[in-house]
RNA sequence: GCACCAGUAGCUCAGCUGGAUAGAGCAACGGACUACGAAUCCGUAGGUCGGGGGUUCGAAUCCCUCCUGGUGUACCA
């Protein structure tokens, strides 16, 4: 990478300066190399003079002048150096350095942007984790896309990724679900029924009831047993969730059932282990976990006086099992409404002797749905929510993916349904995909005209000197580092913004310069650029799970 | 009350973890198809970065404090 090469050169200059007693070595590692905001400030910029001036109590511009002299000796890499503002050293590299990026991209192909920095570290990404009580809502949609995009980014950077879905098909929620299904079943048979007060009112419960009717006729009309109702509801809802996930191209390696934590004795063993460490006590008939030992404000109940555990206990047990399964990094994608569990779970695993630093929780804010310019209030129970399936029907999988990734997790996401449906043509995803299709089209066009498509080694790349061309080359050169950063920071939105930027640069270039002209040498050089761009844009789209249409 | 997140152009949001003159997309206005794809491009306009202090060569970014919105603060998950 060019930036790291340049950093090494600057480090070399710094070291020489130390050797020649121009400055002390106190500034080592404190200065940075950056891409400046404005193009007239060079390709790269370093604040080394400013940093050293602070330490040495000297004039930064004077130090900058010394750096400039040292840097200018590397003529293979650097074309010019200037000093600007308070003492920034701005560096312009040789055009050939940028032009060679095309060769790198050609060589790497589909691997361009991918890397091995993850060093095959085993990472578990846990996400969605919705209980089978209803279809996935738009909030789940955001989480599904976010989690999958993070998983894909980690895969692209050489991590060994494992996707897991944690669910619970037992307990109160499922009982209410069974009761809801039974009520609808009786309703369909014109029997008297009482719908549970906090029951699930969604239309999908009728689907469950109809399926029961089809399978059992009216044989369940006298049944007090909730099991068949619950089982059918769970089966159908889970099938529905799975198919929604499949539509989005999301595949889990494992579905982890909360109930197995009970069946396998993990719940009990966590309690006894914590008790053995003196971190558990009984009070008011309940069992408490001394979270105050970990700096929390109050202790928490882990087993209610009814004998039933609170959600914290299985959560802690689940995380202990994750640790036992030998992952190097545990990533949880949670909605911000689950924030309360995080400190408790971390306290739990810490108490059990595991390293909480291995756990990273990505909390994402809610999705606000806008319809007719007004916010849609949503509730799973009342079922006045828009499902992911409906959303996919309306805007398509690529657009949905793109929208959900457009915001950083910390920001609330406003999803304007009217805009997404009525004006899906103006969706930014098309802007990027159109650029890709256009690139493909140019290459087709060249072939049709009998123009040979040559490799980087066979063309005169020094002809690529237009500002728009250099700009594109520079952007492409920064792609691998961007992917690394987006992956390690768990921020897929960076890829989205990059793609929009790169697509925009291409559209501008396209409108200003013709690729295929009578000038064969120039055309072939530009076709090389087009090919590299197609690879870069395509890789970017694929890395976050978007499709790459060659025609639209 | 306390904790976490957010507050940047009319709207929706970026801002590479402390850099130079704060950006993009919509929306508004004015232009570009005898053209490798006009799902595109070019231009104009739009700002006390919520307010106020502080840290330093330098702050949208870090610290303190207040204001506003969201979420949580359960023997719900």
């Amino acid at each position: 990478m060019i930036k790291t090469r340049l950093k090494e050169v600057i480090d070399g200059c710094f070291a020489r300066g130390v050797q020649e007693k121009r400055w002390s070595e106190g500034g080592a590692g404190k200065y940075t190399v950056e891409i400046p905001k404005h193009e007239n400030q060079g390709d790269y910029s370093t604040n080394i003079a400013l940093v050293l001036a602070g330490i040495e109590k000297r004039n930064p511009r004077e130090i900058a002048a010394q750096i400039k002299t040292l840097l200018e000796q590397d003529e293979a890499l650097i074309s010019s150096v200037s000093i600007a503002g308070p003492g920034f050293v701005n560096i312009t590299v040789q055009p050939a350095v940028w032009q060679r990026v095309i060769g790198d991209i050609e060589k790497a192909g589909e691997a361009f942007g991918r890397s091995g920095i993850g060093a095959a570290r085993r990472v578990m990404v846990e996400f969605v984790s919705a209980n089978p009580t209803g279809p996935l809502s738009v909030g789940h949609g955001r989480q599904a896309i976010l989690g999958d995009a993070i998983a894909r980014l980690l895969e692209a950077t050489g991590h060994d990724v494992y996707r897991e879905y944690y669910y619970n098909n037992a307990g109160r929620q499922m009982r209410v679900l069974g009761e809801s299904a039974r009520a609808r079943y009786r309703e369909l048979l014109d029997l008297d029924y009482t719908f549970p007060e906090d029951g699930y009112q969604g239309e999908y419960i009728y689907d469950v009831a109809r399926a029961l009717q089809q399978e059992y006729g009216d044989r369940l009309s006298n049944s007090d047993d909730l099991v068949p109702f619950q089982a059918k509801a769970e089966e159908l809802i889970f099938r529905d969730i799975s198919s929604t996930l499949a539509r989005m191209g999301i595949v889990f390696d494992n579905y982890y059932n909360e109930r197995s934590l009970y069946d396998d004795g993990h719940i009990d063993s966590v309690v006894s282990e914590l008790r053995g460490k003196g971190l558990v006590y009984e009070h008011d008939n309940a069992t408490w976990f001394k979270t105050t030992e970990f700096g929390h404000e109050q202790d928490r109940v882990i087993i209610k006086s009814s004998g039933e555990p609170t959600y914290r206990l299985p959560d802690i047990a689940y995380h202990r099992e994750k640790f036992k399964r030998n992952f190097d990094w545990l990533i949880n994608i949670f909605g911000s409404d689950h924030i309360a569990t995080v400190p408790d779970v971390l306290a739990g695993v810490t108490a059990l002797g595991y390293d909480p630093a291995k756990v990273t929780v990505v909390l994402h804010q809610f999705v606000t749905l806008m319809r007719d310019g007004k916010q849609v209030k949503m509730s799973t129970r009342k079922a006045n929510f828009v499902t992911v399936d409906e959303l996919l029907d309306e805007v398509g999988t690529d657009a949905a993916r793109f929208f959900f990734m457009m915001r950083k997790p910390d920001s609330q996401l406003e999803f304007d349904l009217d805009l997404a449906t009525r004006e899906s043509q103006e969706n930014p995803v098309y802007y990027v995909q159109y650029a890709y299709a256009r690139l493909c089209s140019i290459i087709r066009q060249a072939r049709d005209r009998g123009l040979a498509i040559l490799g980087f080694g066979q063309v005169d790349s020094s002809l690529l000197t237009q500002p728009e061309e250099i700009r594109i080359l520079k952007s492409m050169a920064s792609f691998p580092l961007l992917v690394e950063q987006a992956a390690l920071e768990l921020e897929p939105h960076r890829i989205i913004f990059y793609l929009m930027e790169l697509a925009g640069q291409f559209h501008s270039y396209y409108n200003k310069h013709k690729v295929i002209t009578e000038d064969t040498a120039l055309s072939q050089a530009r076709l090389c650029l087009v090919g590299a761009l197609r690879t870069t844009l395509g890789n970017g789209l694929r890395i976050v799970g978007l499709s790459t249409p060659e025609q639209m």
Side-chain angles (χ1 to χ4, degrees):
Chain A
M1 264 179 284
I2 295 157
K3 187 174 173 179
T4 47
R5 252 178 76 195
L6 185 64
K7 179 71 163 49
E8 285 164 17
V9 171
I10 292 168
D11 287 343
C13 292
F14 172 74
R16 269 185 65 184
V18 172
Q19 210 170 26
E20 295 167 10
K21 310 263 187 238
R22 292 171 194 261
W23 46 72
S24 71
E25 56 191 350
K30 291 191 175 158
Y31 51 86
T32 56
V33 179
E34 286 164 23
I35 297 173
K37 226 173 286 177
H38 298 93
E39 288 192 349
N40 58 12
Q41 294 166 343
D43 296 329
Y44 292 102
S45 170
T46 177
N47 61 356
I48 184 168
L50 292 163
V51 171
L52 292 182
I55 294 168
E56 307 289 320
K57 305 286 176 214
R58 282 168 54 193
N59 179 352
R61 292 190 68 100
E62 179 201 324
I63 295 178
Q66 295 180 337
I67 298 282
K68 172 176 152 78
T69 311
L70 290 169
L71 281 173
E72 278 170 344
Q73 292 168 19
D74 192 335
E75 291 178 2
L77 180 64
I78 292 163
S79 110
S80 70
V81 181
S82 65
I83 299 165
F88 288 101
V89 178
N90 294 338
I91 300 154
T92 303
V93 308
Q94 298 286 0
V97 171
W98 296 122
Q99 289 149 2
R100 274 199 291 274
V101 169
I102 296 175
D104 296 341
I105 295 171
E106 270 183 16
K107 213 167 120 192
E110 294 238 331
F112 181 65
R114 295 179 175 268
S115 69
I117 54 160
R121 285 209 298 158
R122 297 193 67 222
V123 185
M124 178 198 283
V125 183
E126 183 217 320
F127 62 113
V128 185
S129 296
N131 290 340
T133 56
L136 294 180
S137 70
V138 173
H140 294 122
R142 179 179 196 183
Q143 180 162 151
I145 296 303
L146 180 63
D148 188 61
I150 285 171
R152 284 171 190 264
L153 275 169
L154 291 170
E155 281 167 344
T157 46
H159 296 82
D160 182 6
V161 178
Y162 191 87
R163 293 169 173 79
E164 189 155 287
Y165 183 126
Y166 173 67
Y167 72 101
N168 180 17
N169 58 352
R172 206 188 69 88
Q173 280 185 62
M174 293 303 288
R175 194 166 61 241
V176 173
L177 179 70
E179 286 165 0
S180 305
R182 179 167 59 189
R184 294 306 186 207
Y185 172 81
R186 296 182 66 85
E187 183 184 350
L188 289 181
L189 291 173
D190 280 325
L191 300 168
D192 61 309
Y193 67 94
T194 44
F195 195 80
E197 241 178 79
D198 50 357
Y200 294 93
Q201 295 173 29
E203 188 63 26
Y204 60 94
I205 301 293
Y206 284 104
D207 296 337
V208 174
R210 273 188 286 271
L212 283 162
Q213 208 181 351
Q214 201 163 34
E215 189 171 334
Y216 297 98
D218 61 0
R219 292 199 302 279
L220 296 176
S221 52
N222 293 317
S223 168
D224 283 336
D225 188 7
L226 266 180
V227 169
F229 297 99
Q230 210 168 296
K232 182 56 77 179
E234 180 190 337
E235 179 198 331
L236 292 184
I237 290 168
F238 235 131
R239 186 183 298 166
D240 185 61
I241 289 174
S242 305
S243 84
T244 303
L245 292 170
R247 273 183 86 181
M248 291 190 284
I250 296 172
V251 178
F252 283 93
D253 293 294
N254 189 35
Y255 287 80
Y256 196 100
N257 189 337
E258 177 178 335
R259 188 152 53 181
S260 70
L261 293 166
Y262 293 85
D263 297 343
D264 298 344
H266 297 312
I267 300 291
D268 291 339
S269 81
V270 163
V271 176
S272 56
E273 196 172 328
L274 288 176
R275 197 186 300 277
K277 293 173 188 286
L279 292 167
V280 160
Y281 63 93
E282 316 294 330
H283 178 69
D284 286 348
N285 285 328
T287 304
W288 297 69
F289 175 29
K290 279 191 194 169
T291 36
T292 47
E293 293 283 320
F294 301 90
H296 297 192
E297 273 189 18
Q298 48 186 310
D299 293 338
R300 299 291 184 186
V301 170
I302 52 174
I303 301 176
K304 303 182 227 172
S305 50
S306 65
E308 203 183 354
T310 63
Y311 62 90
R312 292 183 191 94
L313 182 50
D315 278 1
I316 292 169
Y318 175 43
H319 279 81
R320 185 180 67 167
E321 292 315 299
K322 285 188 184 179
F323 272 103
K324 282 190 195 162
R325 289 196 276 161
N326 277 321
F327 287 97
D328 300 306
W329 191 7
L330 300 171
I331 297 172
N332 296 343
I333 319 289
F334 287 163
S336 57
D337 56 333
H338 280 60
I339 189 170
T341 78
V342 176
D344 296 336
V345 167
L346 292 181
V349 296
T350 306
L352 295 167
Y354 297 97
D355 180 8
K358 285 188 176 178
V359 180
T360 302
V361 178
V362 177
L363 284 168
H364 69 269
Q365 298 293 317
F366 285 159
V367 176
T368 314
L369 222 42
M370 303 293 284
R371 197 191 282 285
D372 300 329
K374 285 180 299 191
Q375 187 176 334
V376 181
K377 285 282 178 195
M378 292 188 284
S379 145
T380 306
R381 285 253 157 67
K382 297 199 174 125
N384 61 340
F385 60 93
V386 177
T387 66
V388 175
D389 260 330
E390 288 163 355
L391 190 69
L392 294 176
D393 290 342
E394 286 175 7
V395 306
T397 53
D398 276 336
R401 239 184 205 278
F402 200 92
F403 263 78
F404 281 133
M405 283 190 285
M406 251 190 333
R407 306 287 175 243
K408 62 180 175 195
D410 283 340
S411 298
Q412 286 188 30
L413 192 155
E414 188 166 298
F415 208 118
D416 188 331
L417 284 167
D418 300 316
L419 189 77
T421 51
R422 177 167 46 82
E423 296 184 317
S424 62
Q425 294 293 308
E426 292 171 25
N427 196 302
V429 69
Y430 294 104
Y431 184 79
V432 179
Q433 291 183 325
Y434 181 59
Y436 184 82
R438 215 175 208 184
L439 288 160
C440 295
S441 173
I442 292 172
I443 292 166
R444 275 197 303 271
Q445 193 69 222
R447 281 211 189 90
D448 291 349
R449 296 194 192 180
L451 195 61
I453 313 269
L454 303 176
F456 175 70
Q458 285 100 53
V459 304
D460 182 2
S461 61
S462 70
L463 297 172
L464 302 173
T465 53
Q466 294 294 333
E468 292 82 5
E469 291 168 335
I470 298 293
R471 201 173 296 147
I472 289 169
L473 290 167
K474 284 163 73 171
S475 291
M476 293 195 300
S478 69
F479 181 61
L481 190 60
L482 174 93
V483 176
E484 284 183 15
Q485 288 171 339
L488 295 178
E489 300 293 327
L490 313 177
E491 289 181 337
H493 75 277
R494 294 202 198 186
I495 302 291
I496 297 298
F497 280 89
Y498 174 83
L499 291 174
M500 291 201 284
E501 170 81 19
L502 188 62
Q505 287 176 352
F506 166 64
H507 285 311
S508 296
Y509 173 58
Y510 177 89
N511 275 277
K512 194 161 174 190
H513 303 286
K514 283 200 76 159
V515 174
I516 302 168
T517 61
E518 303 73 34
D519 185 340
T520 310
L522 181 63
S523 301
Q524 284 170 331
R526 287 183 172 171
L527 277 169
C528 253
L529 176 72
V530 164
L533 194 44
R534 178 181 189 265
T535 300
T536 307
L537 212 51
N539 289 357
L541 285 165
R542 279 186 290 268
I543 280 176
V544 290
L546 293 163
S547 70
T548 51
E550 304 204 348
Q551 286 178 31
M552 293 174 69

